[in-house]
Amino acid sequence: MINIVLFGPPGAGKGTQAARLVKRYNLFHLSTGDIFRDNKKNGTELGKLAQSFMDHGKLVPDDVTIQILIAEVDKHPEVEGFIFDGFPRTSPQAKALDEILAGRNTSISKMLALNVEEEELRKRLASRAIESGRADDANPEVIQKRIDVYNLETAPVLDFYTEQGKSSIVNGMGTMDDVTSRLFSEIDAVIV
Ligand code: AP5
Ligand code: MG
């Protein structure tokens, strides 16, 4: 099994690149943001709860998010591995993920952290806002809040994986194809 954490700030290209990686490596794309948005669309209680945090650029509480992650992993026992996109975002989430995978006799193979300049993040999210319908893209203050929350609460998760010797920082600037080939090289090096 190969399990990848695709890490990076809002707008770094996690979703875009995850879609390409799952095809090449036959992995399952698990995005907590997508799960919350689906629940919001379907009007579930979880969706309503998540929306109250997401629309302000804040993190959904760890206990809720970790339970969702466990349920989603358990729904897919047949897969050859996961790409975790947008999870873990806090130290407790990173610890929980290690425990969840250990309980299933597997572990994180690699954490790939996309590095993109803040100005470029703001530009990408503002231009996506036009067609995404994402409330958290529509307001520049919420975009800034998401970037600030990333820097304060999420960026330290990089250290967690660096201490395990599993992290690589990948240049997320340039074209989507440029970034994809950098990620392919990183993952190919883990597989061989
Ligand atoms: P989430 O859905 O994870 O959003 P995010 O981290 O803010 O990131 P985005 O999805 O906006 O960006 P991305 O990195 O996927 O980039 P993308 O490929 O789309 O989380 C949303 C919210 O849910 C959080 O704020 C929080 O409230 C909650 N949440 C989720 N997970 C949570 C967790 N674990 N714990 C607690 N709360 C959680 O690209 C962005 C745009 O740029 C696109 O338009 C794309 O086409 C474009 N683009 C991509 N690559 C390039 C490139 N190389 N050049 C030019 N444009 C590019
Ligand atoms: Mg995304």
Side-chain angles (χ1 to χ4, degrees):
M1 227 174 159
I2 156 162
N3 298 300
I4 307 286
V5 171
L6 194 53
F7 190 78
K14 301 182 294 293
T16 304
Q17 298 298 332
R20 295 170 172 212
L21 299 181
V22 293
K23 279 196 202 142
R24 177 166 162 122
Y25 299 102
N26 201 22
L27 303 174
F28 185 85
H29 180 192
L30 200 167
S31 157
T32 39
D34 287 348
I35 295 170
F36 291 143
R37 277 184 290 278
D38 281 349
N39 275 274
K40 186 178 153 184
K41 204 168 71 187
N42 295 327
T44 68
E45 284 308 310
L46 170 67
K48 286 178 203 154
L49 175 83
Q51 179 173 8
S52 65
F53 294 94
M54 293 168 87
D55 287 0
H56 298 99
K58 294 180 185 165
L59 296 182
V60 177
D62 281 341
D63 53 345
V64 176
T65 307
I66 291 166
Q67 287 313 313
I68 293 303
L69 193 278
I70 293 173
E72 197 63 20
V73 167
D74 285 345
K75 267 189 221 162
H76 303 283
E78 76 294 348
V79 301
E80 290 178 30
F82 291 93
I83 294 199
F84 297 100
D85 159 4
F87 188 100
R89 263 175 146 97
T90 63
S91 301
Q93 289 183 17
K95 285 184 194 127
L97 182 58
D98 270 5
E99 284 166 21
I100 293 160
L101 295 179
R104 288 151 187 79
N105 296 318
T106 185
S107 60
I108 292 299
S109 317
K110 190 82 189 170
M111 187 259 212
L112 298 168
L114 292 170
N115 191 29
V116 175
E117 291 163 15
E118 266 194 35
E119 195 47 44
E120 172 70 11
L121 298 175
R122 277 190 282 271
K123 227 173 14 188
R124 288 183 190 178
L125 294 176
S127 71
R128 186 179 60 185
I130 299 159
E131 83 275 8
S132 75
R134 272 179 61 166
D136 60 347
D137 284 348
N139 180 339
E141 281 172 24
V142 175
I143 290 178
Q144 190 57 51
K145 175 73 180 171
R146 287 158 64 199
I147 294 172
D148 292 345
V149 164
Y150 171 82
N151 287 331
L152 266 171
E153 299 180 50
T154 302
V157 171
L158 178 59
D159 297 338
F160 179 87
Y161 290 100
T162 303
E163 280 159 22
Q164 296 186 14
K166 290 182 175 172
S167 68
S168 283
I169 294 173
V170 175
N171 180 4
M173 300 287 288
T175 68
M176 293 179 194
D177 287 349
D178 289 340
V179 180
T180 304
S181 55
R182 290 178 199 131
L183 292 169
F184 283 174
S185 314
E186 290 283 348
I187 299 174
D188 288 347
V190 177
I191 290 173
V192 290

